[in-house]
Amino acid sequence: MLEWLTPEDMQTIVKLVAAQADYVLIDCPAGVEQGFKNAALAAQEAIVITTPEISAVRDADRVIGLLNSMNVKPVQLVLNRVRPKMVANQDMLSVDAVTDILALPLLGLVVEDEQVIVSTNRGEPLTLSESSSAAGKAYRNIARRLRGEDVPLLDPAKERQGIRARLMNKFRKAGLF
């Protein structure tokens, strides 16, 4: 962490960048240490990103409370690394359960996707790849929603289906099976 960086320094940096950009995204570390405070005090709005695990949701709830006390609003939610099979088996919190607990509007949800690791290891942005990565599609949709577009949320149950399962479902609906 940059020990010498103050909240006032962050505010100055954000103002300088904002004069030349439509959006300024500040990524801050998890937790509520100085890095979080610097980012939050320089922010006008916030996106809380969490996973559907009890401990992560508890931490997110604490962060949301702090953001509210710092008058950072609106706050939106991105649910990351959703595993539809685990949700279906009730081994992971559902999207509805997390949004009920945190009481935030859902900006997007990202299913667990091995392509994230592949893309990171190659040093290639997942959102620019031509692959049919579910996570890449989710990230692009989140960006579109941030720009104000009306984009429906992905259905995690459908995103986990392979091409064979999707084709079989289409054939069944068409009465071919």
Side-chain angles (χ1 to χ4, degrees), residues 67-168:
L67 289 168
N68 286 333
S69 72
M70 298 168 141
N71 291 317
V72 177
K73 294 176 184 170
V75 179
Q76 299 181 78
L77 176 67
V78 170
L79 199 51
N80 196 23
R81 301 184 74 178
V82 176
R83 295 181 180 198
K85 189 173 183 179
M86 289 184 75
V87 171
N89 293 336
Q90 298 182 342
D91 292 326
M92 178 176 268
L93 291 172
S94 70
V95 174
D96 289 340
V98 176
T99 56
D100 286 349
I101 293 167
L102 298 179
L104 289 180
L106 187 61
L107 179 62
L109 66 96
V110 182
V111 294
E112 181 75 17
D113 186 347
E114 290 179 1
Q115 281 303 120
V116 172
I117 297 168
V118 172
S119 177
T120 301
N121 287 339
R122 290 182 180 164
E124 300 170 353
L126 184 64
T127 56
L128 298 179
S129 95
E130 295 299 318
S131 74
S132 59
S133 163
K137 183 177 181 181
Y139 297 142
R140 286 189 296 274
N141 285 348
I142 290 167
R144 291 174 62 199
R145 282 187 209 95
L146 283 172
R147 288 193 324 243
E149 291 182 42
D150 185 19
V151 181
L153 289 168
L154 299 175
D155 180 346
K158 289 182 181 174
E159 291 302 317
R160 78 180 170 117
Q161 290 181 338
I163 190 160
R164 183 170 187 243
R166 287 194 298 260
L167 284 172
M168 292 300 284

